Amino acid sequence: MDYRNLGASGLRVSVLSFGAGTFGGSGPLFGAWGNTGAEEARRLVDICLEAGVNLFDTADVYSAGASEEVLGQAIRGRRDAVLISTKTALPMGEGPQDWGTSRARLIRATEDALRRLGTDYIDLLQLHAFDASTPVEEVLSTLDGLVAAGKIRYVGASNFAGWELMKSLAAAERHGYPRYVAHQVYYSLAGRDYEWELMPLGANQGVGALVWSPLAWGRLTGKIRRGQPLPAASRLHETAQYGPPVDDEKLFDIVDVLDAMAGETGRTVPQIAINWLLSRPTVSSVIIGARNEEQLGQNLDAVGWSLSKAQIERLDAVSAVTAPYPYFPYRRQEGFARLNPPIV
């Protein structure tokens, strides 16, 4: 396992991290992902630690807190061996203080997460979404207080737009508040929108990407094929509406190349898709999930080897799409590109 600094921070994270979305799974979304109990979760954590994974990601909204509870049970007795990342902001109830990132909500959400996780500090607290109703200065000053109190150590964001992230970073710089060192983002061969603005921002500002859904919401498992119905066991039957949109024809073109590359390398389709992400600028860690030990072992084998330059170029080419305005001129026109050459 390799390790990278999380953005411009001194926190070193494994290039693969484990997403605990399947832990305690319940409801239409998380129940379809899986329902891993404490005993099995502990075994999955064992396997991760043996492979060198040190970062475990969850969120309060995952199965209404059950994911945090199961993760806390799974790491009991070895807290110092793991880094815990959790997220808050999305609604946990119907009340006015049950959502967002106001001072009251952030303090209560952090205390609740600490209790569920069975720990006295969180290594990385990320805001799960941008709360436009709360001033960024209120958010950041609250995070500053939580860091000073030793309850959280690093702060990050998730699913922010470029202007939302930059506004927050500028306010942190201006007031001396903790800066976001991580941005948890959707990024995959079938979804490269992260590259248009958020990647250059991350490179410029020292914000590392934690990639969620590297297999495009289960579409890059090698089981989704052109001209074939979805497998009966696919979670897409129940969860497609919740995930990022994907152009089917583009997806099938990508899978065709991944299939061919799997034959060349002896690796699986998902392993190649994950390994490609690890070659991308600003990516600090790719979050993998697993419903069982076999699936976890296969995903962990996405590291320890590298795609060739020619293979990366083939994947780049088949997955490329035209960037929307105002980004496309910087990739198509020489004058624009000379001013701001792409970093990929």
Side-chain angles (χ1 to χ4, degrees):
M1 185 66 61
D2 291 329
Y3 300 86
R4 297 175 181 175
N5 281 45
L6 184 56
S9 79
L11 186 64
R12 284 178 287 278
V13 299
S14 49
V15 294
L16 294 182
S17 44
F18 184 85
T22 60
F23 287 6
S26 63
L29 175 57
F30 300 107
W33 283 6
N35 184 13
T36 304
E39 184 177 349
E40 186 179 1
R42 188 170 183 86
R43 178 56 187 152
L44 295 177
V45 170
D46 287 341
I47 294 170
C48 286
L49 291 175
E50 290 167 5
V53 172
N54 68 352
L55 179 62
F56 296 82
D57 180 75
T58 183
D60 58 7
V61 76
Y62 292 174
S63 299
S67 174
E68 289 180 328
E69 291 176 352
V70 173
L71 178 60
Q73 295 170 43
I75 65 170
R76 188 171 297 159
R78 45 191 173 171
R79 177 64 180 91
D80 291 343
V82 305
L83 300 173
I84 296 176
S85 161
T86 193
K87 302 179 288 293
T88 191
L90 297 178
M92 288 287 285
E94 299 300 323
Q97 300 299 333
D98 291 333
W99 56 272
T101 55
S102 68
R103 186 181 308 279
R105 160 74 164 135
L106 269 180
I107 291 172
R108 181 159 60 88
T110 300
E111 296 289 356
D112 288 346
L114 290 169
R115 173 179 50 79
R116 287 189 291 260
L117 288 162
T119 184
D120 56 3
Y121 69 95
I122 294 165
D123 296 283
L124 175 66
L125 180 68
Q126 298 168 95
L127 307 187
H128 215 158
F130 184 76
D131 177 5
S133 67
T134 301
V136 295
E137 289 81 7
E138 178 178 338
V139 175
L140 294 167
S141 66
T142 306
L143 294 174
D144 184 46
L146 291 167
V147 171
K151 295 183 178 182
I152 59 178
R153 296 188 170 174
Y154 293 89
V155 295
S158 181
N159 304 315
F160 276 34
W163 74 267
E164 296 165 345
L165 182 57
M166 194 63 237
K167 181 176 182 178
S168 302
L169 292 170
E173 187 82 15
R174 186 164 59 251
H175 298 289
Y177 296 142
R179 300 177 87 253
Y180 297 146
V181 299
H183 192 194
Q184 191 165 143
V185 297
Y186 169 60
Y187 187 26
S188 77
L189 275 166
R192 294 176 58 180
D193 293 352
Y194 169 70
E195 297 174 3
W196 309 145
E197 183 170 48
L198 294 172
M199 179 183 282
L201 192 163
N204 180 265
Q205 294 293 313
V207 180
L210 296 176
V211 176
W212 62 263
S213 201
L215 301 181
W217 212 249
R219 292 177 174 88
L220 296 176
T221 60
K223 300 175 183 177
I224 311 298
R225 304 285 177 170
R226 191 192 310 271
Q228 298 181 17
L230 285 176
S234 174
R235 70 185 188 191
L236 285 169
H237 292 288
E238 304 295 331
T239 67
Q241 62 182 312
Y242 301 108
V246 173
D247 179 86
D248 284 344
E249 285 307 309
K250 191 71 174 177
L251 172 70
F252 296 140
D253 290 343
I254 294 168
V255 171
D256 287 344
V257 173
L258 286 169
D259 253 342
M261 209 166 286
E264 299 167 9
T265 62
R267 304 290 177 176
T268 67
V269 165
Q271 286 168 358
I272 295 169
I274 293 170
N275 193 277
W276 176 84
L277 283 167
L278 293 173
S279 72
R280 314 306 288 176
T282 74
V283 171
S284 294
S285 186
V286 174
I287 301 169
I288 59 172
R291 285 185 282 189
N292 54 57
E293 294 182 24
E294 179 184 4
Q295 192 177 63
L296 177 58
Q298 291 176 355
N299 287 339
L300 289 170
D301 284 340
V303 298
W305 54 278
S306 299
L307 293 164
S308 70
K309 180 181 178 181
Q311 288 168 334
I312 290 173
E313 289 174 349
R314 283 165 59 195
L315 291 170
D316 290 351
V318 72
S319 62
V321 296
T322 300
Y325 178 81
Y327 311 111
F328 74 81
Y330 293 91
R331 293 173 175 256
R332 285 187 172 186
Q333 299 178 30
E334 181 182 352
F336 282 81
R338 187 176 299 171
L339 289 168
N340 290 281
I343 62 173
V344 293

